[in-house]
């Protein structure tokens, strides 16, 4: 039996759909509340696959609640660990470490105890290493530099990877994927789905920085191929392309019929923005929208390589523009 954590998030929901479309017959997913399960159900409905949704065995559990995981792990052979907290609010530091590091430790401990055959962990490009002076492209081998300023989210994902490697040293077969910004349909109020929602409302700013993007379909397809292979003890960067924030925002705006961004958010403007955001959060007790580190990352132009996964699986990624076109079509069909 296969267990999927985070089955009510973007990657987990698409993974459940992909597994069932590829004839997975025994599938269990954990959830924390029934309202979240409805989001996954809507994804299956939009794909005309409601009959497949009924094949999922849902178990109420939390990665931080050991007794609930005891039930979820009964008779499990393979685990896809997709559950994570994504936040760039400095106030969420403790919760990030708890969910992403302690939660992953719980998952790998159960995998070891229950003699699970293989674990696939969904990490992030945020957990990759830092370029030194003589390096120009980040790869799986680029070393993490603890002296470099990292976001709390990045630190938590790096810490979670350490738990996975610990499990591997104890004999568990593991594979780690490090996706870039994941683009996919069905979750318009979280993650990359917010790009589409905010741009539709009107998002006037862009920066000259860049990052790496990938389709959720490519992410889940690669995860399944790696789990079905002999691959063990490896990590793979899973990205299609490096693109500037401006390119992506303009492309989304064009595809959904929104106004293109027109204001270049320079370092000076971003420094003002994060300070004002800090002040507003203190006065009105609201969540931070942009931190100091977040503003700096929007100007980052580090390039990230995907050669390892392409060569290992002989894989061809969907282009980012084609992915944006597909997701934009779903956005217009289901939100307007």
């Amino acid at each position: 039996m296969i267990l999927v954590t985070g089955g009510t998030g973007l990657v987990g929901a698409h993974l459940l759909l992909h597994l069932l479309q590829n004839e997975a017959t025994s599938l269990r997913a954990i959830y924390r509340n029934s309202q979240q399960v409805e989001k996954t159900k809507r994804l299956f409905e939009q794909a005309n696959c409601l009959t497949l949704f009924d094949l999922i065995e849902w178990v109420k559990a939390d990665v931080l609640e050991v007794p609930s995981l005891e039930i979820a792990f009964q008779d499990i052979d393979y685990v896809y660990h997709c559950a994570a907290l994504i936040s760039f609010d400095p106030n969420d530091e403790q919760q990030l470490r708890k969910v992403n590091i302690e939660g992953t430790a719980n998952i790998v401990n159960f995998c070891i105890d229950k003699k699970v055959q293989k674990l696939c962990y969904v990490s992030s490009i945020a957990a990759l290493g830092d370029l030194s002076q003589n390096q120009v492209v980040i790869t799986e081998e680029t070393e993490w530099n603890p002296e470099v300023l990292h976001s709390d989210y990045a630190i938590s994902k790096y810490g979670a990877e350490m738990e996975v490697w610990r499990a591997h040293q104890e004999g568990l077969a593991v594979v780690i994927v490090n996706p870039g910004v994941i683009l996919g349909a069905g979750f318009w109020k979280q993650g990359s789905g917010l790009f589409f929602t905010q741009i539709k409302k009107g998002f006037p700013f862009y920066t000259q920085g860049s990052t790496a993007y990938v389709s959720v379909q490519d992410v889940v397809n690669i995860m399944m191929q790696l789990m079905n292979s002999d691959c063990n003890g490896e990590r793979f960067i899973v990205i299609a392309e490096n693109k500037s924030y401006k390119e992506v925002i303009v492309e989304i705006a064009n595809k959904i019929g929104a106004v293109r961004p027109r204001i270049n958010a320079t370092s000076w403007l971003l420094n003002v923005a994060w300070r004002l955001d800090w002040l507003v959060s203190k006065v009105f007790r609201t969540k931070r929208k942009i931190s100091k580190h977040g503003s700096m990352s929007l100007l980052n132009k580090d390039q990230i390589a995907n050669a390892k996964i392409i060569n290992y699986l002989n894989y061809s990624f969907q282009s980012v523009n084609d992915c944006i076109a597909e997701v934009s079509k779903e956005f217009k069909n289901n939100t307007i």
Side-chain angles (χ1 to χ4, degrees):
M1 177 174 277
I2 298 170
L3 175 66
V4 175
T5 74
T8 59
L10 175 66
V11 174
H14 280 271
L15 176 63
L16 289 170
L17 177 60
H18 189 73
L19 286 167
L20 289 166
Q21 286 175 329
N22 286 272
E23 301 182 349
T25 56
S26 187
L27 195 56
R28 182 180 296 156
I30 66 174
Y31 72 97
R32 288 188 297 168
N33 65 70
S34 56
Q35 289 182 337
Q36 298 299 315
V37 176
E38 288 301 312
K39 292 190 299 184
T40 302
K41 186 175 182 179
R42 283 195 295 272
L43 178 69
F44 276 70
E45 185 176 12
Q46 291 162 14
N48 296 315
C49 294
L50 269 181
T51 54
L52 293 180
F53 178 83
D54 293 334
L55 299 176
I56 303 170
E57 178 188 342
W58 289 95
V59 174
K60 189 172 184 179
D62 190 306
V63 295
L64 296 176
E65 296 176 359
V66 171
S68 67
L69 291 177
E70 183 70 44
I71 298 170
F73 266 85
Q74 294 300 315
D75 302 317
I76 294 298
D77 300 302
Y78 299 93
V79 176
Y80 291 90
H81 182 31
C82 310
L85 175 61
I86 302 174
S87 174
F88 299 95
D89 184 344
N91 295 322
D92 290 336
E93 177 186 2
Q94 292 304 317
Q95 191 64 10
L96 279 165
R97 291 173 183 262
K98 193 169 184 64
V99 173
N100 294 345
I101 301 178
E102 182 181 326
T104 300
N106 288 338
I107 293 298
V108 300
N109 288 341
F110 269 99
C111 286
I112 295 169
D113 183 62
K114 301 297 183 181
K115 296 181 171 51
V116 166
Q117 294 183 37
K118 195 170 185 179
L119 165 69
C120 177
Y121 173 60
V122 183
S123 186
S124 166
I125 56 171
L128 296 174
D130 306 285
L131 290 176
S132 60
Q133 290 184 346
N134 61 338
Q135 295 176 316
V136 294
V137 179
I138 295 174
T139 72
E140 290 84 354
E141 304 304 318
T142 305
E143 293 185 6
W144 175 277
N145 183 354
E147 301 300 320
V148 172
L149 178 65
H150 299 94
S151 69
D152 295 318
Y153 172 70
I155 293 170
S156 72
K157 295 299 280 187
Y158 178 78
E161 285 191 10
M162 294 303 101
E163 293 295 336
V164 176
W165 294 130
R166 171 180 64 82
H168 179 58
Q169 291 177 343
E170 295 184 34
L172 177 65
V174 304
V175 63
I176 295 176
V177 293
N178 295 81
V181 176
I182 303 172
L183 301 171
F187 294 78
W188 310 118
K189 295 182 180 180
Q190 64 192 71
S192 65
L194 278 173
F195 287 0
F196 295 82
T197 302
Q198 292 175 345
I199 292 169
K200 182 61 180 178
K201 291 178 180 178
F203 194 79
F205 301 99
Y206 66 87
T207 75
Q208 299 295 343
S210 64
T211 191
Y213 298 84
V214 64
S215 159
V216 70
Q217 300 297 337
D218 282 331
V219 174
V220 300
N221 187 31
I222 286 170
M223 288 168 64
M224 198 174 88
Q225 287 192 44
L226 290 173
M227 283 289 269
N228 290 335
S229 72
D230 294 329
C231 181
N232 180 18
E234 298 285 349
R235 74 193 299 216
F236 295 90
I237 294 172
V238 179
I239 66 162
E241 301 172 65
N242 295 271
K243 275 187 170 291
S244 73
Y245 293 107
K246 182 180 180 180
E247 285 180 283
V248 170
I249 295 171
V250 167
E251 188 67 20
I252 293 174
N254 288 341
K255 289 294 187 292
I256 65 176
V259 177
R260 294 181 181 183
R262 60 190 181 279
I263 302 172
N264 180 15
T266 61
S267 59
W268 178 87
L269 189 58
L270 287 168
N271 279 327
V272 172
W274 77 257
R275 286 177 169 87
L276 283 175
D277 183 64
W278 174 85
L279 181 61
V280 169
S281 71
K282 291 295 183 182
V283 174
F284 297 101
R285 298 183 181 276
T286 56
K287 286 189 70 67
R288 295 286 300 277
K289 295 181 176 62
I290 184 170
S291 65
K292 180 179 180 180
H293 182 274
S295 68
M296 293 168 56
S297 69
L298 292 173
L299 300 173
N300 190 294
K301 295 183 180 181
D302 289 347
Q303 296 293 292
I304 301 175
N306 61 1
K308 182 177 179 180
I309 190 64
I310 289 174
N311 294 333
Y312 190 85
L313 294 180
N314 191 27
Y315 198 83
S316 296
F317 283 94
Q318 181 184 36
S319 74
V320 172
N321 284 353
D322 284 349
C323 177
I324 289 174
E326 287 185 5
V327 177
S328 296
K329 182 178 179 181
E330 291 294 325
F331 177 79
K332 291 191 290 185
N333 288 341
N334 294 287
T335 63
I336 298 175

